[in-house]
Each structure stands twice: as structure tokens, then as C-alpha cells.
């Protein structure tokens, strides 16, 4: 019972922190703000997380779990364009929300001054790249495949910034274009493999 309550409290704190980061901004949010949103004292939060950085690390970790789930879904459904589009939307639409883009940009800016945060973000990125390499079965020694992976990740990350610059962009059409490219690449790789094994 105690373990369930602890987990529930941690979830509530993470939700409160996420709301604060998105509404107030990452840098402007302090433990007091999170405590106020959570509805308990700052001291109470320290029973569950030793610092704001620990909360941020957990927020990033949860984002990574969503990323793993959706990227696996895309990879395992690439034979169906409709399913590819569905899972691309699951990833991209949240990334294109203004609050989410702002929070990500603030974290990156803060990381240029905070080596601990920079390390957390770099480790998350390393895990994401390793995960995508394993899904796509990229040989780790092939520089061109690794460069393609960087371009693919840059596309997903950069789309949110485009929405900040052009808020009138059609988000659903952007998802369709990304799904088109993933689906076309998959079809080309299948065709290439079938020619090799003939």
C-alpha cells in the first residue's frame, strides 16, 4: 500500500511540474511553484525528489518511454500507410504544441549553462539514437546510415520549431509528409532487399 501511495505522489508531482514547465517556462519554475501546483509544501516534494533536476530527469525519462512506444509502433506498422500515419501523428502532434516546443528550447538553453542538465539531455539522446539504430538495424559502423539517422531525428525535433515560426502551418499535412517519406523509404528498402535475394 505504501509503495502505491509513493508512486501516486511521484506521478502527481511530475504532472504538476510538467504543467508548471509548460505554463511558466522551465527556467522560471522553482520547487515552490511545483509545490503550489501540487497542493503541498515544498518540503513534502523533497520526500520524493531531491531536486528540481531529479524531477526534470524523470519528466525526460517519461518522454523517452512515450518515444520508445511510438517509434516501435511506427517501425512495426510500416507495411500499412494508415498505421504509419497514425503513429507519426502520435509522435509529432504533441511535439508541435507551442508549450512543448518552448519547454524543449528552454531546456536546451539551460543545458548550455548547466553541465548536469546537459549530461541528462545527451544521455537521453544517446539512448534514443541507440533505440532507433536497433529498430532500423543500422550497422553502427556505417557513417552514412548514422547521418541519415541524425537527419531523421532532426526532422522530428525541428518540426516543432517550424510551428513556432509559422503557427499557420498545417500540422496534419506535415504529419502526412513525414509518413509519406517513412513509408516510401520502407517500400524502397523492401524492393532493394527483394532484388538482392532473387
Amino acid at each position: 500500500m505504501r509503495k502505491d501511495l509513493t508512486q501516486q505522489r511521484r506521478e502527481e508531482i511530475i504532472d504538476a511540474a510538467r504543467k508548471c514547465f509548460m505554463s511558466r517556462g522551465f527556467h522560471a519554475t522553482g520547487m515552490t511553484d511545483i509545490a503550489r501546483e501540487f497542493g503541498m509544501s515544498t518540503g513534502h516534494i523533497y520526500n520524493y525528489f531531491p531536486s528540481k533536476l531529479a524531477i526534470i530527469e524523470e519528466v525526460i525519462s517519461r518522454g523517452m518511454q512515450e518515444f520508445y512506444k511510438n517509434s516501435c509502433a511506427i517501425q512495426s506498422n510500416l507495411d500499412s500507410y494508415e498505421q504509419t500515419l497514425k503513429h507519426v501523428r502520435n509522435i509529432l502532434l504533441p511535439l508541435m504544441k507551442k508549450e512543448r516546443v518552448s519547454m524543449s528550447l528552454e531546456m536546451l538553453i539551460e543545458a548550455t549553462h548547466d553541465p548536469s542538465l546537459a549530461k541528462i539531455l545527451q544521455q537521453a539522446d544517446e539512448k534514443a539514437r541507440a533505440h532507433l539504430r536497433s529498430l532500423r538495424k543500422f550497422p553502427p559502423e556505417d557513417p552514412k546510415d548514422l547521418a541519415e539517422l541524425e537527419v531523421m531525428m532532426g526532422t522530428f525535433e525541428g518540426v516543432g520549431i517550424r510551428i513556432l515560426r509559422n503557427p499557420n502551418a498545417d500540422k496534419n499535412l506535415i504529419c502526412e509528409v513525414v509518413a509519406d517519406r517513412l513509408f516510401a523509404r520502407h517500400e524502397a528498402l523492401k524492393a532493394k532487399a527483394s532484388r538482392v535475394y532473387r
Side-chain angles (χ1 to χ4, degrees):
M1 180 69 177
R2 175 71 186 157
K3 188 176 179 183
D4 289 344
L5 182 60
T6 298
Q7 188 57 36
Q8 180 186 332
R9 289 285 180 261
R10 286 175 63 86
E11 297 284 340
E12 290 167 354
I13 292 166
I14 291 299
D15 287 343
R18 201 181 274 126
K19 285 178 189 169
C20 288
F21 293 154
M22 289 193 178
S23 64
R24 296 178 53 84
F26 168 75
H27 187 71
T29 298
M31 291 294 265
T32 307
D33 302 306
I34 297 169
R36 192 177 301 116
E37 178 69 35
F38 177 52
M40 291 196 178
S41 70
T42 307
H44 191 77
I45 290 182
Y46 284 112
N47 291 328
Y48 300 96
F49 293 97
S51 65
K52 178 179 161 183
L53 192 64
I55 293 173
I56 292 161
E57 192 166 9
E58 187 64 26
V59 168
I60 291 169
S61 173
R62 294 188 184 204
M64 291 295 292
Q65 293 307 315
E66 276 298 300
F67 164 73
Y68 292 150
K69 181 180 85 176
N70 287 316
S71 56
C72 284
I74 286 175
Q75 187 64 30
S76 61
N77 287 286
L78 276 171
D79 285 323
S80 160
Y81 176 76
E82 291 73 22
Q83 287 298 310
T84 300
L85 178 57
K86 173 187 166 187
H87 295 297
V88 165
R89 283 183 174 140
N90 287 345
I91 292 178
L92 277 185
L93 290 176
L95 291 178
M96 290 190 276
K97 289 185 177 172
K98 181 182 174 187
E99 300 82 9
R100 177 87 174 259
V101 178
S102 298
M103 186 177 80
S104 295
L105 289 174
E106 281 192 50
M107 271 196 205
L108 288 171
I109 291 166
E110 186 69 17
T112 65
H113 307 290
D114 183 340
S116 298
L117 179 58
K119 185 175 178 183
I120 290 169
L121 293 176
Q122 287 163 4
Q123 286 172 339
D125 190 73
E126 285 169 18
K127 288 177 185 174
R129 281 183 279 121
H131 169 73
L132 290 174
R133 277 199 314 267
S134 71
L135 282 182
R136 298 281 302 270
K137 299 176 177 59
F138 280 165
E141 68 283 352
D142 187 330
K144 188 164 182 183
D145 282 341
L146 295 180
E148 181 183 329
L149 183 63
E150 291 295 336
V151 169
M152 183 174 65
M153 291 179 77
T155 299
F156 275 81
E157 290 176 14
V159 162
I161 294 171
R162 291 299 313 145
I163 295 302
L164 277 185
R165 289 180 174 229
N166 179 12
N168 297 319
D170 188 323
K171 296 174 186 170
N172 282 308
L173 278 179
I174 289 171
C175 291
E176 285 182 31
V177 168
V178 171
D180 290 348
R181 290 185 179 187
L182 289 171
F183 188 73
R185 169 127 178 93
H186 177 70
E187 292 298 302
L189 289 173
K190 274 196 331 187
K192 183 178 177 182
S194 71
R195 286 194 301 271
V196 168
Y197 291 111
R198 277 181 189 167

